[in-house]
Amino acid sequence: MTGLAVDDAAWASAWRHRSPGDKLLLCVGLVVCALVLPAWPGSVLVGAVAVVLALGPARVPAATFGRAVRWPLTFVAVSALTTVVTVDGGLGWAPDAAARAGSLVGHALAGSAAVLLLATTTPMADLLPALRRLRVPAAVVEVASVTYRLLFVLLQSLNTIREAQTARMGYSSVRRSYRSSGVLAAAVLTRSWDRARRMQEGLAGRGLETGLRVLPEVLPSSRLFLACSVLALAGIVSASLAVA
Amino acid sequence: MHIAEGFLPPLHAVGWTVAAAPFVVHGARAVVKEVREHPENTLLLGAAGAFTFVLSAIKLPSVTGSSSHPTGTGAGAVLFRPPVMALLGTVVLLFQALLLAHGGLTTLGANAFSMAIVGPWAGYGAYRLTRSLGGGLLPGVFVAMLVADLATYVTTALQLALAFPDADSGFAGAAVKFLGVFAVTQIPLAVGEGLLGVLLFRVLTTNARPELERLGLLPPAPAQEEVR
Amino acid sequence: MSHRSLAADGLVVGYERGRRVLDGASVSVPAGRRLAILGANGSGKTTLLRCLSGALEPAAGSVAVDDQLLRHSRRGLRAHRQEVQLVLQDPDDQLFSASVAQDVSFGPLNLGLDDDAVRERVAEALRLLAVDGLAARPTHQLSYGERKRVAIAGAVAMRPCVLLLDEPTAGLDPSAVAEALAALTRLEASGTTVVMSTHDVDLALRWADEVAVVVDRRVVQGDPATMLGDDDLLARARLDRPWALTVGARLQEIGLLADGALPRDVAALLAALPDRPGVVT
Amino acid sequence: MSHRSLAADGLVVGYERGRRVLDGASVSVPAGRRLAILGANGSGKTTLLRCLSGALEPAAGSVAVDDQLLRHSRRGLRAHRQEVQLVLQDPDDQLFSASVAQDVSFGPLNLGLDDDAVRERVAEALRLLAVDGLAARPTHQLSYGERKRVAIAGAVAMRPCVLLLDEPTAGLDPSAVAEALAALTRLEASGTTVVMSTHDVDLALRWADEVAVVVDRRVVQGDPATMLGDDDLLARARLDRPWALTVGARLQEIGLLADGALPRDVAALLAALPDRPGVVT
Ligand SMILES: Nc1ncnc2c1ncn2[C@@H]1O[C@H](COP(=O)(O)OP(=O)(O)OP(=O)(O)O)[C@@H](O)[C@H]1O
Ligand SMILES: Nc1ncnc2c1ncn2[C@@H]1O[C@H](COP(=O)(O)OP(=O)(O)OP(=O)(O)O)[C@@H](O)[C@H]1O
Ligand SMILES: [Mg+2]
Ligand SMILES: [Mg+2]
């Protein structure tokens, strides 16, 4: 519906009604493990746990998950390669290049998978109220919420206007593409102003002057889920330390 | 180009988060103050954030046939000022990390430092300099977009070089490598982004003059009502 | 909750200097009666609704609920908005929150209600609009018709006495129109007076108890069949005559329908027709 | 320019994985005949039009103009866009230039025509849509009805053989609808085949030569009176029966209208009615 597959997955996930706090604990725990534990076997374990949880109990479509890691994969590949190449006196490999590259790729992929587990199971609408508990000011959370909502409205405008321009050959050469892109950006910007103005009126009737407070959904925390999370994290840590 | 999750060593991740924090907190203070005085501006700021996100979804064709996405932080800095962009940019980076898997949570600080702080400030500085040297709005925007884009990529390259110094030549050698990979290739794309900025603002000056005047980017036009 | 009446008197509105959109427009919404507002594109229907809701302050003229004049002070507006709610034509102008239940909770929360009372109002509003199944859904995944009904629910959760709707059926398919109208009927049963603007003269004829036509910067108000059968008024307002009036009048002419009130929709027309030609009951 | 025919065969479209919007949908637009596309909200009317215009590549199935298959290559699309143009529902999605004339010139300029040819096309398109008076006006000052017609002019300036319109009458007042339809008739006279999607079954019945109903991920196409009188199809497609068919059928039943084709609009019904009861001509 929206073109943001990760967001669609989050709203449809089997973990949608789990407490965002629970999921944050698990996923942030995994992210930290991915970062600080040695790549073997820490990263491998973290990555495996994240992928299994996402595709298993959280029922995230494998294709969505797979496509989402494609982007970090590109960055990681290019950067890891750059890191282990030396240019001193001709191109060459740094000492222990393979091990270093492997470790970098391992950390990054495990971390990305852990963040994706959070992203594909927890919609922004649940995460943003959770930020309030991390003492982020209400005004900032409200601005972020409006950003999230308007994102979809503007993306829709962007795609429709671009389609209309394409139909009239607006992208048939590089020069025309640039012109059309400039017009497109301007159209979306003026729309965003217009939209904000009209929303202001749409919301004034419901009491905008006191801020944009809404009642977040009550998503109770699960002791079982927390216990399993802690157990899994402890397992990863002890296994890694044992091997190291 | 955002640094992917897990790519930076823990110390660097924490370091960049600490470095970015004061700017983001400063931006948040500005936003809180703004919203307290004018609650309805929450919507305008949200719209600005959404626009910043959506701008990076515009595809810029390059002459070589490949295409790239603008960072958009230069335009944002000119339109909304760097302090606000520090916050909005960070929010957008958080969304990109969680909606598109671009960037990450532990690398959010590093990415915010390059894209939401250095980029906008460098772009805005270049804009003010151009304007004070007598340049018009369009040259100012061109320079702002170009400088913001390049500054962002240079910062990213230096961040990576700092984290992964070369085995023999240390930081300097690594900087050369990463600048070569990430910043030099970016020059034509940065020029492209500057051009996009000029086209964008050229349309705005005809279609959205009152808004640009309100933002102080154009001198107010003589009121036509009084003339009659 | 009991029905309240809403009235505007002598409204003058001009967006730009010099040009007036409304100039001495008066309209009254008697408690519990359905009012349809008609008029050409750009005649000022939305402008009129914005004045009635308090969103726009007219240059002159007054708006009152049950003889209580609207004042455009912070307190005056606050009081007015608890009585009168406007639902805009584009639901995206009203839905700012990521999830449906959150969005509907916005108004009641601002009334200072506690969380349980808010939750109750949200549930009630979603039920009245028959969108309770959508409560946990993200706003951006809803269809246009669903978004439209959720936007109405957001206003209904304020429990207004008068609900103003700007083209609530535009862009909806016939079944969705029927569902929206059924939801409005449920609202009326719970004590809300409903006003809508529309371009559909057939809908206005069959739905409304009264019709207000915005024409030449003023409002002409009256009985639907009379107003929509007045060719001079229709021409000035760029409206068409509803088919039911034309066809009904002709059938009366040839003696097939009894004289008197014309049927307003298909069902009424079929019921009024005799079973065999020439027999007028 | 001579009329060209457009056809789609076995279209399969799914926006998300798993869920299909169209699944084996076929439709044909015979040259020079008016086609109305009907269907519930979200049934896939816009999706179908986007496939026909080449904006959307179906997962399977084909689109062809006069038996020339559409290929989604750069060249294929370029050729197709000169034959088929789609006008979106919201005119603001289409009007992105500052002034009306500038906006209409966008397409012809991109075709690489010289300035004189572009000027001629712009003038012609504005004239056909009866908006020549607006050429120098800024687009954001236009009324909704005017914006809608200028958006159509932008597509017409490409001189397509087939013009696809997504809900061209939505949000327009009755006079503006009549003007838009008159403009479409002028276009047809100049050799353009016109297709529109709409929610208005009465309009579809009186305007179209053929009707395509999008229902259950497929398209059922046929004669307007037959299709819109088929209660089973109407129920599945969440549509209403046009009043003219219901009233006409009843009048035939009681012997007031001659058997045979039912009248499609008010004028035809009045003309077909006898002057006195019981006399069927
Ligand atoms: N860009 C898109 N991405 C994802 N899903 C979409 C997109 N566009 C449409 N859809 C979905 O496809 C289905 C058909 O949509 P479409 O817009 O074609 O319906 P429609 O018949 O034109 O409806 P309406 O009468 O409301 O205009 C809907 O369920 C809609 O949610
Ligand atoms: N915010 C505004 N600023 C300036 N002019 C406006 C504004 N809103 C409306 N107008 C003008 O006021 C007039 C009445 O507009 P309004 O929207 O009330 O008409 P309407 O009857 O609702 O039309 P429609 O049927 O198209 O919705 C129009 O000429 C319009 O251009
Ligand atoms: Mg209106
Ligand atoms: Mg549609």
Side-chain angles (χ1 to χ4, degrees), chain C residues 39-41 171-176 179 199 238-240 243 246-247 250-251 254 256 266 269-270 273-275 277-278, chain D residues 39-41 171-176 179 199 238-240 243 246-247 250-251 254 256 266 269-270 273-278:
Chain C
N41 284 125
L172 297 188
D173 66 49
S175 301
E179 282 162 18
H199 282 301
R238 293 171 53 94
L239 295 175
D240 277 355
W243 67 268
T246 313
V247 172
R250 179 61 183 276
L251 290 173
I254 58 178
L256 267 171
V266 173
L269 179 66
L270 292 190
L273 276 176
D275 290 337
Chain D
N41 284 125
L172 296 188
D173 67 49
S175 301
E179 282 162 16
H199 282 302
R238 294 170 53 94
L239 295 174
D240 278 354
W243 66 267
T246 312
V247 172
R250 179 62 181 274
L251 291 174
I254 58 179
L256 267 170
V266 173
L269 180 65
L270 292 190
L273 276 176
D275 289 338
R276 291 184 302 121

Side-chain angles (χ1 to χ4, degrees), chain B residues 209-222:
Chain B
R209 233 196 144 82
E211 275 83 3
L212 294 187
E213 286 165 9
R214 200 165 37 75
L215 291 166
L217 298 179
L218 285 177

Side-chain angles (χ1 to χ4, degrees), chain B:
Chain B
M1 183 69 52
H2 310 357
I3 302 177
E5 175 59 55
F7 201 80
L8 286 182
L11 214 61
H12 289 257
V14 172
W16 288 115
T17 306
V18 170
F23 293 92
V24 178
V25 169
H26 175 235
R29 287 236 174 86
V31 165
V32 169
K33 186 161 163 280
E34 177 82 22
V35 166
R36 191 169 298 144
E37 283 161 17
H38 308 281
E40 66 277 6
N41 280 359
T42 312
L43 297 168
L44 264 176
L45 287 164
F51 173 70
T52 313
F53 184 102
V54 170
L55 189 60
S56 63
I58 289 180
K59 258 201 220 86
L60 274 184
S62 76
V63 193
T64 55
S66 68
S67 60
S68 74
H69 297 277
T71 60
T73 52
V78 170
L79 286 166
F80 316 121
R81 301 286 181 272
V84 172
M85 268 313 281
L87 179 75
L88 290 184
T90 307
V91 168
V92 167
L93 281 167
L94 179 69
F95 282 13
Q96 286 174 332
L98 290 176
L99 295 177
L100 305 172
H102 289 192
L105 296 182
T106 62
T107 50
L108 184 64
N111 286 326
F113 195 83
S114 65
M115 288 204 52
I117 296 163
V118 173
W121 275 109
Y124 189 68
Y127 168 79
R128 292 308 297 261
L129 188 69
T130 313
R131 293 304 297 258
S132 68
L133 292 177
L137 175 65
L138 294 186
V141 169
F142 177 80
V143 175
M145 294 282 272
L146 183 134
V147 168
D149 182 302
L150 271 185
T152 300
Y153 281 77
V154 167
T155 309
T156 303
L158 294 182
Q159 285 172 327
L160 288 172
L162 212 55
F164 306 105
D166 196 67
D168 314 318
S169 50
F171 169 74
V176 171
K177 280 192 303 186
F178 282 107
L179 284 172
V181 171
F182 288 121
V184 174
T185 53
Q186 190 63 23
I187 291 175
L189 300 175
V191 173
E193 185 165 344
L195 283 177
L196 177 74
V198 170
L199 293 164
L200 162 65
F201 276 77
R202 201 164 67 193
V203 179
L204 288 181
T205 47
T206 53
N207 285 8
R209 233 196 144 82
E211 275 83 3
L212 294 187
E213 286 165 9
R214 200 165 37 75
L215 291 166
L217 298 179
L218 285 177
Q224 297 180 346
E225 234 73 60
E226 269 81 61
V227 179
R228 268 192 284 141

Side-chain angles (χ1 to χ4, degrees), chain C residues 89 144 148 166-173 177 197-199 203, chain D residues 41 89 167 170-171 199:
Chain C
Q89 179 173 357
Y144 185 76
K148 245 177 143 138
D166 200 7
E167 307 200 23
T169 62
L172 297 188
D173 66 49
V177 171
S197 76
T198 179
H199 282 301
L203 173 69
Chain D
N41 284 125
Q89 178 173 358
E167 306 199 24
H199 282 302

Side-chain angles (χ1 to χ4, degrees), chain A residues 1-2 7-9 11-12 16-17 124-126 129 145-146 148-150 152-153 194-195 198-218, chain C residues 50 55 74 78 81 84-86 88 90-99 101-107 109-110 115 118-119 136-143 147 154-155 158:
Chain A
M1 173 80 204
T2 58
D7 180 72
D8 287 343
W11 285 97
R16 159 75 179 80
H17 294 288
M124 276 293 171
D126 296 341
S145 308
V146 175
Y148 177 66
R149 167 78 186 113
L150 282 179
F152 296 100
V153 178
D194 213 42
R195 188 59 83 174
R198 286 190 296 167
M199 273 187 139
Q200 195 175 312
E201 184 170 326
L203 299 185
R206 294 197 279 156
L208 179 61
E209 67 267 21
T210 41
L212 277 179
R213 219 154 56 88
V214 294
L215 201 59
E217 215 175 322
V218 185
Chain C
R50 292 174 68 210
R74 221 188 155 84
R78 209 184 143 79
R81 283 173 185 149
V84 181
Q85 282 284 316
L86 169 61
L88 302 176
D90 186 347
D92 288 333
D93 288 340
Q94 216 135 327
L95 302 176
F96 70 98
S97 184
S99 98
Q102 281 182 18
D103 202 280
V104 178
S105 74
F106 171 68
L109 268 179
N110 289 333
D115 287 6
V118 170
R119 254 186 278 278
R137 288 275 298 281
T139 326
H140 58 262
Q141 279 186 11
L142 302 183
S143 78
R147 287 209 302 283
M158 302 291 281

